[in-house]
Coordinates of all heavy atoms in Angstrom, one line a residue:
E1 N 17.4 1.6 -9.6 CA 17.4 0.6 -10.5 C 16.6 -0.7 -10.0 O 16.8 -1.1 -8.8 CB 18.8 0.1 -10.9 CG 18.9 -0.9 -12.0 CD 20.3 -1.1 -12.4 OE1 21.1 -0.1 -12.6 OE2 20.6 -2.2 -12.5
K2 N 15.8 -1.3 -10.8 CA 15.0 -2.4 -10.3 C 15.9 -3.6 -10.3 O 16.5 -4.1 -11.3 CB 13.8 -2.6 -11.3 CG 12.8 -3.6 -11.0 CD 11.6 -3.4 -11.8 CE 11.8 -3.6 -13.2 NZ 10.6 -3.8 -14.1
P3 N 15.9 -4.4 -9.1 CA 16.6 -5.6 -9.1 C 16.2 -6.8 -10.0 O 15.0 -6.7 -10.4 CB 16.5 -6.1 -7.6 CG 15.9 -4.9 -6.9 CD 15.2 -4.0 -8.0
E4 N 17.0 -7.7 -10.5 CA 16.7 -8.7 -11.4 C 15.4 -9.5 -10.7 O 15.6 -9.9 -9.5 CB 17.8 -9.6 -11.7 CG 17.6 -10.7 -12.6 CD 18.8 -11.4 -12.9 OE1 19.9 -10.9 -12.9 OE2 18.7 -12.6 -13.2
G5 N 14.5 -9.8 -11.5 CA 13.3 -10.6 -11.0 C 12.2 -9.8 -10.4 O 11.1 -10.3 -10.1
A6 N 12.5 -8.5 -10.1 CA 11.5 -7.7 -9.5 C 10.6 -7.0 -10.6 O 11.0 -6.6 -11.7 CB 12.1 -6.5 -8.7
D7 N 9.3 -7.0 -10.3 CA 8.3 -6.4 -11.2 C 8.1 -4.9 -10.9 O 7.7 -4.1 -11.9 CB 6.9 -7.1 -11.1 CG 7.0 -8.5 -11.5 OD1 7.6 -8.7 -12.5 OD2 6.3 -9.3 -10.8
D8 N 8.4 -4.4 -9.8 CA 8.2 -3.0 -9.4 C 9.1 -2.6 -8.2 O 9.7 -3.5 -7.6 CB 6.6 -2.8 -9.0 CG 6.2 -1.4 -9.2 OD1 7.0 -0.5 -9.4 OD2 5.0 -1.3 -9.2
L9 N 9.1 -1.4 -7.8 CA 9.8 -0.9 -6.6 C 8.9 -0.2 -5.7 O 8.0 0.5 -6.0 CB 10.9 0.0 -7.1 CG 12.0 -0.4 -8.1 CD1 12.7 0.7 -8.6 CD2 12.8 -1.4 -7.4
L10 N 9.3 -0.4 -4.4 CA 8.6 0.4 -3.3 C 9.4 1.7 -3.2 O 10.6 1.8 -3.1 CB 8.7 -0.3 -2.0 CG 7.8 -1.5 -1.7 CD1 8.1 -2.2 -0.5 CD2 6.3 -1.0 -1.6
L11 N 8.7 2.8 -3.2 CA 9.3 4.2 -3.2 C 9.1 4.6 -1.7 O 8.2 4.5 -1.0 CB 8.6 5.1 -4.1 CG 8.5 4.7 -5.5 CD1 7.8 5.7 -6.4 CD2 10.0 4.5 -6.1
V12 N 10.2 5.2 -1.2 CA 10.3 5.7 0.1 C 10.7 7.2 0.0 O 11.5 7.7 -0.7 CB 11.4 4.9 1.0 CG1 11.6 5.4 2.4 CG2 11.2 3.4 0.9
T13 N 10.0 8.0 1.1 CA 10.3 9.4 1.1 C 11.6 9.7 1.7 O 12.1 8.8 2.4 CB 9.2 10.0 2.0 OG1 9.3 9.7 3.3 CG2 7.9 9.8 1.5
P14 N 12.2 10.8 1.6 CA 13.4 11.2 2.3 C 13.4 11.1 3.9 O 14.4 10.8 4.4 CB 13.7 12.7 1.9 CG 12.9 12.8 0.6 CD 11.7 12.0 0.7
E15 N 12.1 11.1 4.4 CA 11.9 11.0 5.8 C 11.9 9.6 6.2 O 11.8 9.2 7.4 CB 10.7 11.7 6.3 CG 10.6 13.1 6.0 CD 10.4 13.6 4.6 OE1 9.7 12.8 3.9 OE2 10.8 14.7 4.2
G16 N 11.9 8.6 5.2 CA 11.9 7.1 5.5 C 10.5 6.5 5.6 O 10.4 5.4 6.1
F17 N 9.5 7.1 5.0 CA 8.1 6.5 5.0 C 7.9 6.0 3.5 O 8.3 6.4 2.5 CB 7.1 7.6 5.3 CG 7.2 8.2 6.7 CD1 7.5 9.5 6.8 CD2 7.1 7.3 7.8 CE1 7.5 10.1 8.1 CE2 7.3 7.9 9.1 CZ 7.4 9.3 9.2
L18 N 7.1 4.8 3.6 CA 6.7 4.3 2.3 C 5.7 5.2 1.6 O 5.0 6.0 2.3 CB 5.9 2.9 2.6 CG 6.8 1.8 3.1 CD1 5.8 0.6 3.3 CD2 7.7 1.4 2.1
R19 N 5.8 5.3 0.3 CA 5.0 6.3 -0.4 C 4.1 5.4 -1.4 O 2.9 5.6 -1.3 CB 5.9 7.1 -1.2 CG 5.1 8.2 -1.9 CD 5.9 9.3 -2.6 NE 6.4 8.8 -3.8 CZ 7.2 9.4 -4.6 NH1 8.0 10.5 -4.1 NH2 7.6 8.9 -5.7
E20 N 4.6 4.7 -2.3 CA 3.9 3.9 -3.3 C 4.8 3.1 -4.0 O 6.0 3.1 -3.7 CB 3.0 4.8 -4.2 CG 3.9 5.8 -4.9 CD 3.1 7.0 -5.6 OE1 2.0 7.2 -5.3 OE2 3.8 7.7 -6.3
T21 N 4.4 2.4 -5.1 CA 5.4 1.8 -6.0 C 5.4 2.7 -7.3 O 4.8 3.7 -7.3 CB 4.9 0.3 -6.4 OG1 3.9 0.4 -7.4 CG2 4.5 -0.4 -5.3
T22 N 6.1 2.3 -8.3 CA 6.2 3.1 -9.5 C 4.9 3.1 -10.2 O 4.7 4.0 -11.0 CB 7.3 2.5 -10.4 OG1 7.2 1.3 -10.8 CG2 8.7 2.8 -9.7
R23 N 4.0 2.0 -10.0 CA 2.7 2.0 -10.6 C 1.5 1.8 -9.8 O 0.4 1.9 -10.3 CB 2.8 0.8 -11.6 CG 3.9 0.9 -12.6 CD 3.8 -0.4 -13.5 NE 4.6 -1.4 -12.8 CZ 4.8 -2.6 -13.2 NH1 4.2 -3.1 -14.2 NH2 5.5 -3.5 -12.5
F24 N 1.6 1.6 -8.5 CA 0.4 1.4 -7.6 C 0.6 2.0 -6.4 O 1.6 2.4 -5.8 CB 0.5 -0.1 -7.3 CG 0.4 -1.1 -8.4 CD1 1.4 -1.7 -9.0 CD2 -0.9 -1.4 -8.9 CE1 1.3 -2.6 -10.1 CE2 -1.1 -2.3 -9.9 CZ 0.1 -2.9 -10.5
N25 N -0.7 2.2 -5.7 CA -0.7 2.5 -4.3 C -0.5 1.2 -3.5 O -0.7 0.2 -4.0 CB -2.1 3.1 -3.9 CG -2.3 4.6 -4.5 OD1 -3.2 4.7 -5.3 ND2 -1.6 5.5 -3.9
I26 N 0.0 1.5 -2.3 CA 0.3 0.4 -1.4 C -0.7 0.3 -0.3 O -1.2 1.3 0.2 CB 1.6 0.6 -0.6 CG1 2.8 0.9 -1.6 CG2 2.0 -0.4 0.3 CD1 4.1 1.5 -1.0
F27 N -1.1 -1.0 0.0 CA -2.0 -1.2 1.2 C -1.4 -2.5 1.9 O -1.1 -3.5 1.3 CB -3.4 -1.7 0.6 CG -4.1 -0.5 -0.2 CD1 -3.9 -0.4 -1.6 CD2 -4.8 0.3 0.5 CE1 -4.5 0.6 -2.2 CE2 -5.5 1.4 -0.1 CZ -5.3 1.5 -1.5
L28 N -1.2 -2.3 3.2 CA -0.7 -3.4 4.1 C -2.0 -3.8 4.9 O -2.6 -3.1 5.5 CB 0.3 -2.9 5.0 CG 1.6 -2.3 4.3 CD1 2.7 -1.8 5.4 CD2 2.1 -3.2 3.4
L29 N -2.1 -5.2 4.9 CA -3.3 -5.8 5.6 C -2.8 -6.4 6.9 O -1.9 -7.2 7.0 CB -3.8 -7.0 4.8 CG -4.9 -7.9 5.5 CD1 -6.1 -7.1 5.8 CD2 -5.2 -9.1 4.5
D30 N -3.4 -5.8 8.0 CA -3.3 -6.4 9.4 C -4.4 -7.4 9.5 O -5.6 -7.1 9.8 CB -3.4 -5.3 10.3 CG -3.1 -5.7 11.7 OD1 -3.4 -6.8 12.1 OD2 -2.6 -4.9 12.6
E31 N -4.1 -8.7 9.4 CA -5.1 -9.7 9.5 C -5.7 -9.8 10.9 O -6.9 -10.1 11.0 CB -4.6 -11.0 9.1 CG -4.3 -11.1 7.6 CD -3.9 -12.5 7.1 OE1 -2.7 -12.9 7.5 OE2 -4.6 -13.0 6.3
K32 N -4.9 -9.6 12.0 CA -5.4 -9.6 13.3 C -6.5 -8.5 13.6 O -7.4 -8.8 14.2 CB -4.3 -9.5 14.3 CG -3.3 -10.7 14.4 CD -2.3 -10.6 15.3 CE -1.3 -11.8 15.3 NZ -0.2 -11.6 16.1
K33 N -6.2 -7.3 13.1 CA -7.2 -6.2 13.4 C -8.2 -6.2 12.2 O -9.1 -5.3 12.3 CB -6.3 -4.9 13.4 CG -5.5 -4.9 14.7 CD -4.8 -3.6 14.8 CE -3.9 -3.6 16.1 NZ -3.2 -2.2 16.1
K34 N -8.0 -7.0 11.1 CA -8.9 -6.9 10.1 C -9.1 -5.5 9.4 O -10.2 -5.0 9.3 CB -10.2 -7.5 10.4 CG -10.2 -9.0 10.7 CD -11.5 -9.6 10.8 CE -11.4 -11.0 11.2 NZ -10.9 -12.0 10.3
L35 N -7.9 -4.9 9.2 CA -7.9 -3.6 8.5 C -6.7 -3.5 7.6 O -5.7 -4.2 7.8 CB -8.1 -2.4 9.5 CG -7.1 -2.3 10.6 CD1 -5.8 -1.4 10.2 CD2 -7.8 -1.5 11.8
F36 N -6.8 -2.5 6.7 CA -5.7 -2.2 5.8 C -5.1 -0.7 6.2 O -5.9 0.1 6.7 CB -6.2 -1.9 4.3 CG -6.4 -3.4 3.6 CD1 -7.6 -3.9 3.7 CD2 -5.4 -3.9 2.9 CE1 -7.9 -5.2 3.1 CE2 -5.7 -5.1 2.2 CZ -6.9 -5.8 2.3
F37 N -3.8 -0.7 6.0 CA -3.1 0.7 6.1 C -2.6 1.0 4.9 O -2.2 0.3 4.0 CB -1.9 0.5 7.1 CG -2.2 0.0 8.5 CD1 -1.7 -1.2 8.9 CD2 -3.0 0.8 9.4 CE1 -1.9 -1.7 10.2 CE2 -3.3 0.4 10.6 CZ -2.7 -0.9 11.0
T38 N -2.7 2.3 4.6 CA -2.2 2.9 3.3 C -1.3 4.2 3.8 O -1.8 4.9 4.7 CB -3.2 3.2 2.3 OG1 -2.6 3.4 1.1 CG2 -4.1 4.3 2.7
P39 N -0.4 4.6 3.0 CA 0.3 5.8 3.3 C -0.4 7.1 3.2 O -1.5 7.2 2.5 CB 1.4 5.9 2.3 CG 1.7 4.5 1.9 CD 0.3 3.9 1.9
T40 N -0.2 8.0 4.1 CA -0.9 9.3 4.1 C -0.5 10.1 2.8 O 0.6 9.8 2.2 CB -0.5 10.2 5.3 OG1 0.9 10.4 5.2 CG2 -0.8 9.5 6.6
L41 N -1.3 11.0 2.5 CA -1.2 11.8 1.3 C 0.1 12.8 1.4 O 0.7 13.1 0.4 CB -2.4 12.7 0.9 CG -3.6 11.9 0.4 CD1 -4.8 12.8 0.2 CD2 -3.3 11.1 -0.8
S42 N 0.4 13.0 2.7 CA 1.6 13.9 3.0 C 2.9 13.2 2.5 O 3.9 13.9 2.4 CB 1.7 14.3 4.4 OG 1.9 13.1 5.2
T43 N 2.9 11.9 2.2 CA 4.1 11.3 1.6 C 4.3 11.5 0.2 O 5.3 11.3 -0.3 CB 4.0 9.7 1.9 OG1 2.9 9.2 1.1 CG2 3.9 9.3 3.3
G44 N 3.2 12.1 -0.5 CA 3.4 12.4 -1.8 C 2.8 11.2 -2.7 O 2.9 11.3 -3.9
C45 N 2.1 10.3 -2.1 CA 1.5 9.2 -2.9 C 0.3 9.8 -3.7 O -0.3 10.8 -3.4 CB 0.9 8.1 -2.1 SG -0.4 8.5 -0.9
I46 N 0.1 9.2 -4.8 CA -0.9 9.6 -5.8 C -2.3 9.1 -5.2 O -2.6 8.1 -4.7 CB -0.8 8.9 -7.1 CG1 0.6 9.2 -7.8 CG2 -2.0 9.3 -8.0 CD1 0.8 10.6 -8.1
N47 N -3.3 10.1 -5.1 CA -4.5 9.8 -4.6 C -5.5 9.5 -5.8 O -6.4 10.3 -6.2 CB -5.1 11.2 -3.9 CG -6.3 10.9 -3.1 OD1 -6.6 9.8 -2.7 ND2 -7.1 11.9 -2.8
D48 N -5.2 8.2 -6.3 CA -5.9 7.9 -7.5 C -7.3 7.4 -7.2 O -7.7 7.4 -6.2 CB -5.1 6.8 -8.3 CG -5.3 5.4 -7.8 OD1 -5.7 5.3 -6.7 OD2 -4.9 4.5 -8.7
V49 N -8.1 7.0 -8.2 CA -9.4 6.6 -8.2 C -9.6 5.4 -7.2 O -10.5 5.4 -6.4 CB -10.1 6.3 -9.6 CG1 -11.4 5.6 -9.5 CG2 -10.0 7.5 -10.4
Y50 N -8.8 4.4 -7.3 CA -8.9 3.2 -6.5 C -8.7 3.6 -5.0 O -9.3 3.1 -4.1 CB -7.9 2.1 -6.9 CG -8.3 0.8 -6.2 CD1 -9.2 -0.1 -6.7 CD2 -7.9 0.6 -4.9 CE1 -9.6 -1.2 -6.0 CE2 -8.3 -0.6 -4.2 CZ -9.2 -1.4 -4.7 OH -9.6 -2.6 -3.9
R51 N -7.7 4.4 -4.7 CA -7.3 4.8 -3.4 C -8.4 5.5 -2.8 O -8.9 5.3 -1.6 CB -6.0 5.6 -3.3 CG -5.7 5.9 -2.0 CD -4.4 6.8 -2.0 NE -3.8 7.1 -0.7 CZ -4.3 7.9 0.2 NH1 -5.5 8.5 0.0 NH2 -3.8 8.0 1.4
R52 N -9.0 6.5 -3.5 CA -10.2 7.2 -3.0 C -11.4 6.3 -2.7 O -12.0 6.4 -1.7 CB -10.6 8.3 -3.9 CG -9.6 9.5 -4.0 CD -10.1 10.7 -4.7 NE -10.6 10.5 -6.0 CZ -10.0 10.5 -7.1 NH1 -8.7 10.7 -7.2 NH2 -10.6 10.2 -8.3
F53 N -11.6 5.4 -3.6 CA -12.7 4.4 -3.4 C -12.5 3.6 -2.2 O -13.3 3.4 -1.4 CB -12.8 3.5 -4.7 CG -13.8 2.4 -4.5 CD1 -15.2 2.7 -4.8 CD2 -13.4 1.2 -4.1 CE1 -16.2 1.6 -4.6 CE2 -14.4 0.2 -3.9 CZ -15.8 0.4 -4.2
A54 N -11.2 3.1 -2.1 CA -11.0 2.2 -0.9 C -11.0 3.0 0.5 O -11.5 2.5 1.5 CB -9.5 1.6 -1.1
M55 N -10.6 4.3 0.4 CA -10.8 5.1 1.7 C -12.2 5.3 2.1 O -12.6 5.3 3.3 CB -10.1 6.5 1.5 CG -8.6 6.4 1.3 SD -7.8 5.7 2.7 CE -8.2 6.7 4.1
R56 N -13.1 5.4 1.1 CA -14.6 5.6 1.3 C -15.2 4.3 1.8 O -16.1 4.2 2.6 CB -15.3 6.2 0.1 CG -15.2 7.7 0.0 CD -16.1 8.3 -1.1 NE -16.2 7.5 -2.3 CZ -15.3 7.7 -3.3 NH1 -14.4 8.7 -3.2 NH2 -15.4 7.1 -4.4
N57 N -14.9 3.2 1.0 CA -15.7 2.0 1.0 C -14.9 0.8 1.7 O -15.6 -0.2 1.9 CB -16.1 1.5 -0.3 CG -16.9 2.6 -1.0 OD1 -18.0 3.0 -0.5 ND2 -16.4 3.2 -2.1
G58 N -13.6 0.9 1.9 CA -12.9 -0.2 2.5 C -12.5 -1.1 1.4 O -12.8 -1.0 0.2
I59 N -11.8 -2.2 1.7 CA -11.4 -3.2 0.9 C -11.7 -4.5 1.5 O -11.3 -4.9 2.6 CB -9.8 -3.2 0.7 CG1 -9.4 -1.9 0.1 CG2 -9.3 -4.4 -0.2 CD1 -7.8 -1.7 -0.1
K60 N -12.4 -5.4 0.7 CA -12.8 -6.7 1.1 C -13.5 -6.6 2.5 O -13.2 -7.4 3.4 CB -11.6 -7.6 1.2 CG -10.8 -7.8 -0.1 CD -9.8 -8.7 0.0 CE -8.9 -8.9 -1.3 NZ -8.2 -10.1 -1.5
D61 N -14.5 -5.7 2.6 CA -15.2 -5.5 3.8 C -14.4 -5.0 5.0 O -14.7 -5.4 6.2 CB -16.0 -6.6 4.2 CG -17.1 -7.0 3.2 OD1 -17.6 -6.0 2.5 OD2 -17.4 -8.2 2.9
M62 N -13.1 -4.5 4.8 CA -12.2 -4.1 5.9 C -12.0 -2.5 5.7 O -11.8 -2.2 4.6 CB -11.0 -4.9 5.9 CG -11.2 -6.4 6.4 SD -9.6 -7.2 6.5 CE -9.8 -8.3 5.0
E63 N -11.9 -1.8 6.8 CA -11.6 -0.5 6.9 C -10.2 -0.2 6.3 O -9.3 -1.0 6.5 CB -11.7 0.1 8.3 CG -11.6 1.5 8.4 CD -11.7 2.0 9.9 OE1 -11.9 1.2 10.8 OE2 -11.7 3.2 9.9
V64 N -9.9 0.9 5.7 CA -8.6 1.4 5.2 C -8.3 2.6 6.1 O -9.0 3.5 6.2 CB -8.6 1.8 3.8 CG1 -7.2 2.3 3.4 CG2 -9.0 0.5 2.9
I65 N -7.1 2.6 6.7 CA -6.6 3.7 7.6 C -5.3 4.2 7.0 O -4.4 3.5 6.7 CB -6.4 3.2 9.0 CG1 -7.7 2.5 9.5 CG2 -5.8 4.2 9.9 CD1 -7.9 2.7 11.0
E66 N -5.2 5.6 6.9 CA -4.1 6.2 6.5 C -3.1 6.4 7.7 O -3.6 6.7 8.8 CB -4.3 7.7 6.1 CG -4.9 7.7 4.7 CD -5.1 9.2 4.3 OE1 -5.7 9.9 5.1 OE2 -4.7 9.6 3.2
R67 N -1.9 6.1 7.4 CA -0.8 6.3 8.4 C 0.5 6.3 7.8 O 0.7 5.6 6.8 CB -0.9 5.5 9.7 CG -0.5 4.0 9.6 CD -0.6 3.4 11.0 NE -0.2 2.0 11.0 CZ 1.0 1.6 11.0 NH1 2.0 2.4 11.0 NH2 1.3 0.3 11.0
N68 N 1.5 6.9 8.4 CA 2.9 6.8 7.9 C 3.4 5.4 8.2 O 3.3 4.9 9.3 CB 3.7 7.7 8.6 CG 3.5 9.2 8.2 OD1 3.1 9.4 7.0 ND2 3.6 10.2 9.0
L69 N 3.9 4.8 7.1 CA 4.4 3.4 7.2 C 5.9 3.3 6.9 O 6.4 4.0 6.1 CB 3.7 2.5 6.1 CG 2.2 2.5 6.3 CD1 1.5 2.0 5.0 CD2 1.8 1.7 7.5
R70 N 6.6 2.6 7.7 CA 8.0 2.5 7.5 C 8.3 1.2 6.8 O 7.6 0.2 6.9 CB 8.8 2.3 9.0 CG 8.6 3.5 9.8 CD 9.8 4.4 9.6 NE 9.7 5.6 10.5 CZ 10.3 6.7 10.2 NH1 11.2 6.7 9.2 NH2 10.3 7.8 11.0
P71 N 9.4 1.2 5.9 CA 9.7 0.0 5.2 C 9.8 -1.3 6.0 O 9.5 -2.4 5.6 CB 11.0 0.4 4.5 CG 11.0 1.8 4.4 CD 10.3 2.3 5.7
E72 N 10.4 -1.2 7.2 CA 10.5 -2.4 8.1 C 9.2 -3.0 8.4 O 9.1 -4.2 8.8 CB 11.4 -2.1 9.3 CG 10.9 -1.0 10.2 CD 11.5 0.3 9.8 OE1 11.9 0.6 8.7 OE2 11.3 1.2 10.7
E73 N 8.1 -2.3 8.4 CA 6.7 -2.9 8.6 C 6.3 -3.8 7.7 O 5.4 -4.6 7.9 CB 5.8 -1.7 8.8 CG 6.0 -0.8 10.1 CD 4.9 0.2 10.2 OE1 3.8 -0.2 10.7 OE2 5.1 1.3 9.8
V74 N 6.8 -3.7 6.5 CA 6.3 -4.6 5.4 C 6.3 -6.1 5.8 O 5.5 -6.9 5.4 CB 7.1 -4.2 4.1 CG1 6.9 -5.3 3.0 CG2 6.8 -2.9 3.6
G75 N 7.3 -6.5 6.5 CA 7.4 -7.9 6.9 C 6.4 -8.3 7.9 O 6.2 -9.5 8.0
Y76 N 5.7 -7.4 8.5 CA 4.6 -7.9 9.5 C 3.3 -8.0 8.9 O 2.4 -8.5 9.6 CB 4.5 -6.7 10.5 CG 5.8 -6.5 11.3 CD1 6.5 -5.3 11.4 CD2 6.3 -7.6 12.2 CE1 7.8 -5.2 12.0 CE2 7.5 -7.4 12.9 CZ 8.2 -6.2 12.8 OH 9.4 -6.1 13.5
Y77 N 3.1 -7.5 7.7 CA 1.7 -7.5 7.1 C 1.8 -8.1 5.7 O 2.8 -8.1 5.1 CB 1.3 -6.1 7.0 CG 1.2 -5.3 8.2 CD1 2.2 -4.3 8.5 CD2 0.3 -5.6 9.2 CE1 2.1 -3.5 9.7 CE2 0.3 -4.9 10.4 CZ 1.2 -3.9 10.7 OH 1.1 -3.2 11.8
K78 N 0.6 -8.4 5.2 CA 0.5 -8.9 3.9 C 0.4 -7.6 3.0 O -0.3 -6.6 3.4 CB -0.8 -9.7 3.6 CG -0.7 -11.1 4.1 CD -1.9 -11.9 3.7 CE -1.7 -13.4 4.2 NZ -2.9 -14.2 4.0
I79 N 1.1 -7.6 1.8 CA 1.2 -6.4 1.0 C 0.3 -6.6 -0.1 O 0.2 -7.6 -0.9 CB 2.6 -6.2 0.5 CG1 3.7 -6.3 1.5 CG2 2.8 -5.0 -0.4 CD1 5.0 -6.5 1.1
F80 N -0.5 -5.5 -0.4 CA -1.3 -5.4 -1.6 C -1.0 -4.1 -2.3 O -0.6 -3.2 -1.6 CB -2.7 -5.4 -1.2 CG -3.3 -6.7 -0.7 CD1 -3.1 -7.1 0.6 CD2 -3.9 -7.5 -1.6 CE1 -3.6 -8.3 1.1 CE2 -4.4 -8.8 -1.0 CZ -4.1 -9.2 0.3
V81 N -1.1 -4.1 -3.7 CA -1.0 -2.9 -4.4 C -2.2 -2.7 -5.3 O -2.9 -3.7 -5.5 CB 0.3 -3.0 -5.3 CG1 1.6 -3.0 -4.5 CG2 0.2 -4.2 -6.3
A82 N -2.5 -1.5 -5.6 CA -3.8 -1.3 -6.4 C -3.7 0.0 -7.1 O -3.0 0.9 -6.8 CB -4.9 -1.2 -5.4
N83 N -4.5 0.0 -8.3 CA -4.7 1.1 -9.0 C -6.0 1.0 -9.8 O -6.6 -0.2 -9.7 CB -3.5 1.5 -10.0 CG -3.3 0.4 -11.1 OD1 -4.2 -0.2 -11.5 ND2 -2.0 0.4 -11.5
S84 N -6.5 2.0 -10.4 CA -7.8 1.9 -11.0 C -7.8 1.0 -12.3 O -8.9 0.6 -12.7 CB -8.3 3.3 -11.3 OG -7.4 4.0 -12.2
V85 N -6.7 0.7 -12.9 CA -6.7 -0.1 -14.0 C -6.7 -1.6 -13.7 O -7.4 -2.3 -14.2 CB -5.5 0.2 -14.9 CG1 -5.3 -0.7 -16.1 CG2 -5.7 1.7 -15.5
R86 N -5.8 -2.0 -12.7 CA -5.6 -3.3 -12.3 C -6.4 -3.9 -11.1 O -6.4 -5.0 -10.8 CB -4.1 -3.5 -12.1 CG -3.1 -3.2 -13.1 CD -3.0 -4.3 -14.3 NE -2.7 -5.6 -13.9 CZ -1.5 -6.2 -13.8 NH1 -0.5 -5.4 -13.9 NH2 -1.3 -7.4 -13.3
G87 N -7.0 -2.8 -10.3 CA -7.6 -3.3 -9.2 C -6.6 -3.6 -8.1 O -5.5 -3.1 -8.1
I88 N -7.0 -4.4 -7.2 CA -6.1 -4.7 -6.0 C -5.5 -6.1 -6.2 O -6.2 -7.1 -6.7 CB -6.8 -4.7 -4.6 CG1 -5.8 -4.8 -3.5 CG2 -7.9 -5.7 -4.5 CD1 -6.2 -4.2 -2.2
L89 N -4.2 -6.2 -6.0 CA -3.4 -7.4 -6.2 C -2.5 -7.7 -5.0 O -2.0 -6.7 -4.5 CB -2.5 -7.1 -7.5 CG -3.2 -6.7 -8.8 CD1 -2.0 -6.2 -9.8 CD2 -3.9 -7.9 -9.4
R90 N -2.4 -9.0 -4.7 CA -1.4 -9.3 -3.7 C -0.1 -9.2 -4.2 O 0.3 -9.5 -5.3 CB -1.8 -10.8 -3.3 CG -0.8 -11.4 -2.3 CD -1.2 -11.0 -0.9 NE -0.6 -11.8 0.1 CZ 0.5 -11.6 0.6 NH1 1.3 -10.7 0.3 NH2 1.0 -12.5 1.6
A91 N 0.8 -8.6 -3.4 CA 2.3 -8.4 -3.8 C 3.1 -9.2 -2.9 O 2.8 -9.6 -1.9 CB 2.6 -6.9 -3.7
Q92 N 4.4 -9.4 -3.4 CA 5.3 -10.2 -2.6 C 6.7 -9.5 -2.8 O 7.0 -9.0 -3.8 CB 5.3 -11.6 -3.2 CG 5.8 -12.6 -2.3 CD 5.7 -14.0 -2.9 OE1 5.3 -14.2 -4.2 NE2 5.8 -15.1 -2.1
L93 N 7.4 -9.5 -1.7 CA 8.9 -8.9 -1.8 C 9.8 -10.0 -2.3 O 9.6 -11.2 -2.0 CB 9.3 -8.6 -0.3 CG 8.5 -7.4 0.3 CD1 9.1 -7.2 1.7 CD2 8.7 -6.1 -0.5
T94 N 10.7 -9.5 -3.1 CA 11.7 -10.4 -3.6 C 13.1 -10.0 -3.1 O 13.3 -9.0 -2.6 CB 11.8 -10.4 -5.1 OG1 12.1 -9.1 -5.5 CG2 10.5 -11.0 -5.6

């Protein structure tokens, strides 16, 4: 169930890895390393058009790297969500 005031939910695999939201792929920005992380396809995330484009071309001139991400890592990075309809958007935890 979505908490009051939340627009979306982060989905987590049974193994404890971030997967996606109910409407978007997730991208975490490491500003120090100037790169984005996104969950691996083995988490079950959707390999949509925007994600494939980002994996090939980067985001905002920064490389995108797949890796398993834990929910506790969200606090260390800026969160972005993206899909082929809305493009990339800055997200915020509530």
Side-chain angles (χ1 to χ4, degrees):
E1 185 173 313
K2 190 166 57 171
E4 187 176 325
D7 294 321
D8 206 347
L9 296 171
L10 284 171
L11 303 178
V12 179
T13 68
E15 298 79 25
F17 297 118
L18 291 176
R19 186 172 84 194
E20 58 196 9
T21 78
T22 61
R23 296 179 278 176
F24 297 97
N25 286 114
I26 305 165
F27 297 89
L28 301 182
L29 172 60
D30 184 330
E31 291 184 292
K32 290 180 184 176
K33 294 182 180 178
K34 297 192 183 289
L35 59 85
F36 282 89
F37 300 116
T38 194
T40 63
L41 291 177
S42 66
T43 64
C45 70
I46 302 295
N47 194 22
D48 82 344
V49 172
Y50 190 92
R51 185 183 186 284
R52 290 191 311 269
F53 176 84
M55 292 301 300
R56 277 192 313 273
N57 302 299
I59 299 172
K60 301 181 180 197
D61 296 324
M62 290 182 253
E63 184 179 6
V64 178
I65 303 219
E66 285 183 308
R67 74 174 180 81
N68 288 326
L69 302 167
R70 297 266 182 200
E72 56 269 19
E73 292 183 79
V74 170
Y76 299 116
Y77 304 109
K78 285 189 177 177
I79 308 165
F80 289 82
V81 294
N83 66 29
S84 58
V85 174
R86 302 281 306 269
I88 189 150
L89 305 167
R90 178 79 162 88
Q92 203 170 14
L93 293 179
T94 57

